[in-house]
Structure formats: structure tokens, C-alpha cells
Amino acid sequence: MTNMIATQSFELFLSLWNLQQHQSTPAVHQQIAHWLTQNKRRQHKRFVLLAFRGCGKSTLIGLYCAWRLFTDPNLRILVVAADQMLATKMVRMVRKIIEKHPLTKTLRPLKTEQWAADRLTVQRPLVNRDPSIMAAGIKSNITGMRADMIICDDVEVPKTSDSADKRAQLRQHLKELDFILTPQGEILYIGTPHAQDSIYSDYTRDHHKLEIPLEDQNGHSAWPERFPPERIARIRKQVGPLHFASQMLLQPVQITKARLEPQLLRPYDAPLVLREAGGESILTINGERMVSCACWWDPALGNTHGDSSVIVCVYTDTKGHYWLHGLHYLHHDPNHPDDNATQQGKQIVQFLRLHHALHVHVEINGLGQFLPALLAQVFSKEKWPARIIPVTARQNKTQRILQTLDPILAARALHVHETVMHSPLIGEMQDFNPSRGTNQDDALDALCGALAAQPVRLPRVIVPLSSTLKHWQPHARTFHATADFTL
């Protein structure tokens, strides 16, 4: 009797699984499960499920795939994701469910070769060359395959949608899925919007759609047990308003409306103070102790009409706030005996000495690949024991700037020294236009690099300290303890 009812109700199939896993079924999952059950009975087979990040939608869809194979073992399912690894993760989960669910154990085949990580074939009456379920990346070659159901699980992610060209390519790949789908087949899109012209907006008219934002119009949580108001507030603060609106409220972000407001900066005019206290060096700004710093050099070696070469230094205090204390435009004298890069390297040493910093991140895109080695030679000659960290920027610059600065500015967590407030950085923020591809953003780019860089803490053992080189970061000094183990 249970088997018969379960073939008609995905809600029951889900509940049996959760009971076996000793967990309850939250209301938001019951809502999605009911919608999926109804979809099986609909004549029009085009569906879109949009739900907030952390909703567990991929887990539910894995269970849904297992249920559909339970109701029809002859079904052929294709799982498509942004890349092969994500799609395989879904198929691997379906395999585990079939092995452990009390209603599906008989589906497991006798031959182990039919039970792979990225494709599996259940025991079924019909003989078919296509597996029961198969994983594929959105760019995979799946020509010649046929599927009765296609699951598009998070095909829109930053790396497939952070530019107009990538979104156009993604749409073209999705159109090609129609050649894979059987005439009476169905297709289900699952995800969250990542762009202002999200692909999911293409399916508003001719697809059955279910949207579940984290908060409803009255501010009530869709999953109050896991996302109470205090956690929602914390997420909103951590990711910023733009990312929260997109990923948690399912509102495609109009990136052209995004602005970097200098009014959200917190100016200060206090010096950097390094002092000895309790046998250790302590670095403070305006009475706040600094625990880490990140220096970032965005190099440029061209003429004066090209990009600017900028280095910044950002500290982090004990409260997690950021302090932009130094921003310097590097320059060179064409008549100097040293080459351009060496001149800039010497200025970097002066900058690091001034800020008591023992590391610098160097963006090595393009011609910058040779700079770390050259900079190491300059550091050696100047006897400055700083670590050089090469970094290759792969993300779209506009997206990187917005995603980094948006949450920090919204939280009013960026303190900026008065000297920096009078630098070109402020003008770059005011003139920044996300829809324009030629922003003057050299200082902004360097700042975002420093903010996004992992804090680098000093090693326990380095060269002997001098009067200008102090271990100011916590846990960087050596402690001596006397132990008496006499009984």
C-alpha cells in the first residue's frame, strides 16, 4: 500500500527518506515537494524552480529524480549543471538515495559497471543504450543522447553569466537541449538569478514557475527554523544588499544602478602607532588594535596616458573592520639610470617600511608575470624581508569591485585615512559606472584586491628584528615558559 501511494506522492517519498535520516521535513520543502508532485500530472512539461541559496533545492531535486525512477524505471534523465563536477555531484547523490531509500533498493542493478559516479542504469524492463540518469556540464558534448527529462541545476552561475557574451553563450547551449529532449519530455530549471537579464526571466510566460525567496513581502522567513531573523540580518550584512537581493530574494540585480557611495566611508586622521606593551609590539590606529594587513600592488609600466600603478595597504582590526591607511601612485623618471620596474620596486619598499608590512600581493596579469622575480631582487638589495604573493585576476573586474565593496560599504566597515580621502580614489567611486567598460578604476581595483586578500600573519621565525621592523601582529612573538615536572 505504501509503495502504491508513494508512486503518486513525492511528499510521501520525501517524508519516508527524512524519517530514515532522523530529520523532519520543513514547510518550505513540503511546498516544493507538493509543486513537484503536481508537475508530474501537468500536460505542459516546462518548469522553473527558483529558491534562495541554502534552501536545499538541489537535495530535493536529487530525491525527486530518485522518485521519478521509482515511478518509472524506464525514464531517462539528464542532469545538466554549470560544469561536469556539479552535475556529477547530483547524480552521485541520486545513487546514494536509491541505495538507501526503503522503496528504491530494488532499482539497483546487478552489474557494477552500470553504477558509475556520473551515470547509472537502474533495473528496468526496457533495453536502452542511454543510462537512466547521466551528468553533463552545460558545455559537454552530448550529441546523440536522448532524455525524457532534463534537469538544469544551477546552470546560471557567475562564471557562466558575468558578462553579456557569456549569457548569450549560455542561452545558446540551453537551446540545444531541445534536440536531446524527447517529444513528450519535460525540462526543469532550478537555480537563483545571477544577472540583471537572468536566463530565468526568459521562461516567465510559457513555464510553470515556483519562486521561494528567503523573506516574503511581510519580512517573514521561508524557513524560520534554519533562517531566523538574526541569521537573515547577519547574512544581509555579510554579503551586502546587491548580492542578498539576487541570491536570497530572487531579484535580478540591475547592475547599471549600482553605485559606490563615498558617503559610506568612515574618514579618520589618526596616525599609525607602533608601541611596545607587555613584551610585544602592538600596532594601533585611533586606539584600535590592528591584527592583520594586506598590501596590494596593481602594476602598470606603460606611459603616463595608460593605467596607473597603484599600491594600497589595508589593515584589519579586532572587530573585523578595515582601515585603508595608505594609497600611493607609483611613478618613474625616464632619465633615471634604473629601469621603470626597479624604480617602482624601490618605492614599494619605502611604502612597506612606512606601514610595517612584510608582504605584498602583486597582480601578474599580462606583462606583470615577470614582476615578482624582479621585485624580489629589489627587496634583497634593499634588505627588506617581505614576502611577494603573485595573484592572477580571473573574475570580471566590475563584478569583483561590486561584490567586494558592496557589503563592506553597506556595513560602514571601511575606515579611510584623510590623505586617501583627498586622492583620486574618491573620484573613481563617484564616476564608477558598472555598465561602462572603460572606468578609471586603478585605485578601486587595488583596494578591492587588498580587501579580498586573505590576511597574512607574520611567521614565528624571520630575520632578527631591528628598530624599524617589529612583530606587531598577534601570536607572532615567541613565548618562553618554565615547567617544573618534579613530583
Side-chain angles (χ1 to χ4, degrees), residues 212-256:
I212 304 180
L214 179 56
E215 292 181 319
D216 63 17
Q217 295 179 348
N218 299 318
H220 298 147
S221 173
W223 194 350
E225 298 86 359
R226 178 168 291 186
F227 294 91
E230 58 273 14
R231 185 180 180 189
I232 294 177
R234 185 167 65 252
I235 294 173
R236 183 182 275 110
K237 181 179 180 180
Q238 289 174 344
V239 304
L242 289 178
H243 199 64
F244 186 85
S246 171
Q247 298 296 284
M248 308 308 287
L249 300 182
L250 311 180
Q251 300 171 1
V253 174
Q254 296 293 330
I255 193 172
T256 56

Side-chain angles (χ1 to χ4, degrees), residues 397-408:
K397 183 188 291 188
T398 298
Q399 293 285 347
R400 181 171 72 247
I401 290 174
L402 288 175
Q403 290 179 10
T404 302
L405 275 178
D406 184 51
I408 296 174

